[in-house]
Amino acid sequence: MTALLDYQLAFDLAPIGLILSEQRIVRDCNQQVLAIFGARREQLVGHSFEQLYPSHDEFQRTGDRIVASLDARGCYGDDRVMKRCDGSLFWCHVMGRALDPRDPHARGIWSFEDLSARRGLTAELTPREREIAALLIDGLTSKLIGRRLGISHRTVDVYRARLMKKYKASSTPELIHKLLSA
């Protein structure tokens, strides 16, 4: 006879960070999320995701980007810079699913993978530079980044040039390589 599956235990001990959300409020999280963000359960559960973002603007823009970019199954994923409870910033791979794609923030399940062991933040970046860096890593062109962020492709090129200067890169492929291996 097979033992009953304990879904709560599986959720809590999963090797990847998991959050259940409602209207961008953390309703439940597992132990791995607490470890990734250096948090206690009471710091996250019942509180907005906003505290996990480097700035209010990044929280807002990411929420808008999620709504605009959900696939037909209600899924979304990206690499982004996030903030631990001690204020330190780190690269994080985030994937999620809206339980109702017509109302993406109503309820969802999100996974978090800390990328800091493979990708560190070696330069001080502005919120917009962090967004553009993440989209460059995803392989988007200036025009696609501009559309996604609601800015002109020329503005994206200005930010890309700033990133190249900060990372001492002479080309976009070299910039992406340095972003990925920093």
Side-chain angles (χ1 to χ4, degrees):
M1 181 169 190
T2 308
L4 291 175
L5 292 175
D6 185 340
Y7 289 100
Q8 183 63 44
L9 185 65
F11 173 81
D12 199 42
L13 298 178
I16 192 159
L18 296 171
I19 290 180
L20 300 174
S21 67
E22 200 170 55
Q23 299 302 334
R24 301 187 82 189
I25 302 293
V26 176
R27 291 299 176 208
D28 199 3
C29 65
N30 69 357
Q31 290 179 24
Q32 189 64 25
V33 161
L34 299 175
I36 289 170
F37 289 99
R40 294 182 318 279
R41 184 171 192 71
E42 60 272 10
Q43 288 177 286
L44 297 183
V45 174
H47 298 278
S48 171
F49 271 98
E50 185 172 350
Q51 68 180 318
L52 304 177
Y53 284 82
S55 71
H56 173 74
D57 287 344
E58 286 169 278
F59 170 73
Q60 293 289 52
R61 286 194 299 256
T62 301
D64 295 342
R65 196 167 59 242
I66 289 168
V67 170
S69 302
L70 285 177
D71 68 15
R73 297 175 300 137
C75 295
Y76 177 83
D78 67 14
D79 289 352
R80 65 179 79 141
V81 174
M82 301 211 61
K83 183 176 75 174
R84 299 185 204 283
C85 287
D86 68 4
S88 63
L89 303 180
F90 69 103
W91 280 101
C92 189
H93 179 69
V94 181
M95 292 187 67
R97 168 174 267 163
L99 299 183
D100 180 358
R102 294 166 302 184
D103 189 1
H105 294 309
R107 292 181 334 147
I109 183 163
W110 297 93
S111 68
F112 298 83
E113 179 186 3
D114 183 349
L115 300 177
S116 57
R118 296 187 307 248
R119 184 184 315 163
L121 285 170
T122 58
E124 192 69 31
L125 302 179
T126 67
R128 186 63 89 182
E129 288 170 343
R130 287 191 289 267
E131 285 181 309
I132 289 173
L135 295 171
L136 286 170
I137 289 168
D138 285 346
L140 275 66
T141 64
S142 291
K143 286 185 180 181
L144 291 174
I145 292 171
R147 278 190 218 131
R148 176 98 40 108
L149 299 179
I151 60 177
S152 81
H153 68 90
R154 290 187 178 148
T155 301
V156 173
D157 289 338
V158 168
Y159 280 102
R160 180 197 319 255
R162 288 181 190 169
L163 287 165
M164 289 173 70
K165 183 176 180 180
K166 285 182 178 185
Y167 280 89
K168 297 178 176 61
S170 59
S171 67
T172 299
E174 183 182 2
L175 173 63
I176 293 168
H177 174 74
K178 288 183 174 198
L179 287 167
L180 289 171
S181 61

